Amino acid sequence: MSLFQFTRRSIWVTSIIIETLLLIGQAVTDQFFFIQALHWPPPILIPLFGALGIVFGDTKQIRKYSGALFAIGCLYWCAHDWKPKPPIDQEQLPFTFMHWTVEEVDKRRAQSTLQVASSYETDFLCLVNINTLRRLPRKEVFSHLPHQKVQWPFLFASKWPLTCEVVLCEDHTVEHPLNIARGSIDHPDGIINFVALDCPSDPSLSRMGTSHRIRQALGLCDADFVFGDFNCPRHAASIQHAFPAHTHAFDHAGNGPVMTWPAKFPMLHLDHLLLNDRWTCVEYGTHRPEVGDHLPQHARLIRSNP
């Protein structure tokens, strides 16, 4: 075997192994700590490695095998990110929602972030981790959202009266902080209950371990909305374990890849919005501002049984 053939065969073997491992990771997600990293890469990489296998396959049988894996990867990617959604009755006036993990420490950038956030039309806004928030003119900037509450690291702003309380606040008090707040919005059509999360970001930390901590803090959660920076991809087993009665907003109305981090070149969907069966999402996506650490997620929501 020549050096060229050896190199070509090595690239083919490597691409097939990586594609197979990524498929396993998507199936197992983060149930087991020692392989949870396999669930993190975006699903688009699966068919790309399959295509690489076809290109570098040096026999008809090898290319046929690579083509089968490529087809499986494409089908999975389409099912994960592109599956068509049934039309939804939108006769109701939707409730508009936005959540943004901004991670701004610098005061000037935090000011710019507030100005950008105020430019989006929304009924309810949650900003996370603007570290200079208390010194910024948030009440003036968000005058269209007059009801505001700060429960560090969260800022909640709403068109209607709201209440909130800290469930768990570990910011800078432990090595891997988990922050949870819950509250309610006094909407004219009925009270809306919500839970906000800011989960640990260390990729070496067990996501199922974090899920157990969330369950311990909240019990069996029945809030209308659960949202936050989960720091794990959509459809992770850890999310389902923590909130088994909720469905991701993307599964209602998402169509096409949604990524929220990092803001400059989004590759991972780490910020999520979960709904109970009393609510349906009719639009879900992200904005693309020039500031912030994550992209803001936004949604239009209606009640399932008005």
Side-chain angles (χ1 to χ4, degrees):
M1 179 182 292
S2 67
L3 178 61
F4 173 77
Q5 290 175 320
F6 175 79
T7 303
R8 183 174 180 177
R9 181 64 64 89
S10 298
I11 294 174
W12 174 80
V13 170
T14 301
S15 64
I16 293 303
I17 289 174
I18 293 174
E19 183 181 14
T20 302
L21 288 174
L22 291 179
L23 283 170
I24 292 172
Q26 292 296 320
V28 179
T29 72
D30 55 5
Q31 296 181 58
F32 306 107
F33 165 71
F34 61 93
I35 60 170
Q36 68 180 12
L38 293 177
H39 181 232
W40 283 62
I44 180 61
L45 291 181
I46 300 174
L48 288 181
F49 277 106
L52 197 65
I54 295 174
V55 170
F56 285 93
D58 55 1
T59 68
K60 183 177 180 180
Q61 191 65 28
I62 285 176
R63 286 193 293 270
K64 185 177 180 180
Y65 177 73
S66 300
L69 281 179
F70 172 74
I72 293 171
C74 286
L75 288 172
Y76 177 80
W77 179 47
C78 291
H80 187 271
D81 285 340
W82 296 96
K83 56 186 177 184
K85 310 296 190 299
I88 298 173
D89 179 15
Q90 298 188 41
E91 292 181 0
Q92 297 179 53
L93 184 65
F95 177 89
T96 55
F97 162 95
M98 192 173 93
H99 161 265
W100 191 3
T101 302
V102 292
E103 302 283 1
E104 295 293 10
V105 178
D106 178 75
K107 186 174 181 178
R108 181 184 59 81
R109 285 181 57 85
Q111 179 70 58
S112 299
T113 300
L114 281 184
Q115 293 294 337
V116 171
S118 68
S119 69
Y120 296 118
E121 288 291 330
T122 187
D123 296 329
F124 175 82
L125 168 69
C126 176
L127 289 181
V128 186
N129 283 333
I130 292 189
N131 292 346
T132 54
L133 184 63
R134 295 183 185 277
R135 300 191 297 273
L136 297 175
R138 56 181 174 83
K139 291 187 179 294
E140 294 79 8
V141 173
F142 295 127
S143 58
H144 60 299
L145 299 172
H147 304 280
Q148 302 174 18
K149 298 286 186 182
V150 175
Q151 295 287 1
W152 181 255
F154 307 102
L155 161 66
F156 303 108
S158 168
K159 286 185 177 179
W160 302 280
L162 62 84
T163 62
C164 62
E165 64 175 353
V166 170
V167 177
L168 184 64
C169 183
E170 298 180 339
D171 194 55
H172 304 304
T173 62
V174 297
E175 185 177 1
H176 303 293
L178 169 64
N179 298 294
I180 306 175
R182 62 184 167 203
S184 61
I185 305 165
D186 189 9
H187 190 273
D189 294 333
I191 297 294
I192 301 172
N193 297 309
F194 64 84
V195 168
L197 299 164
D198 184 35
C199 296
S201 58
D202 188 341
S204 67
L205 189 68
S206 168
R207 293 308 185 254
M208 286 302 291
T210 301
S211 177
H212 287 300
R213 293 170 65 195
I214 294 171
R215 284 291 293 267
Q216 288 174 357
L218 292 172
L220 186 60
C221 178
D222 190 38
D224 295 296
F225 310 153
V226 178
F227 54 86
D229 177 9
F230 285 72
N231 272 306
C232 62
R234 177 164 44 91
H235 294 159
S238 58
I239 297 178
Q240 296 299 315
H241 177 265
F243 303 102
H246 290 74
T247 304
H248 202 292
F250 181 94
D251 294 332
H252 289 247
N255 191 17
V258 173
M259 311 293 181
T260 63
W261 183 87
K264 290 183 184 287
F265 189 74
M267 297 181 64
L268 299 175
H269 190 179
L270 302 182
D271 302 81
H272 307 292
L273 168 62
L274 312 178
L275 309 173
N276 66 12
D277 58 7
R278 295 188 292 271
W279 287 84
T280 299
C281 182
V282 296
E283 180 183 316
Y284 179 77
T286 58
H287 295 303
R288 296 298 298 266
E290 298 298 322
V291 291
D293 185 54
H294 293 228
L295 297 184
Q297 56 174 342
H298 65 87
R300 291 160 58 87
L301 311 167
I302 60 174
R303 295 179 188 269
S304 303
N305 296 297

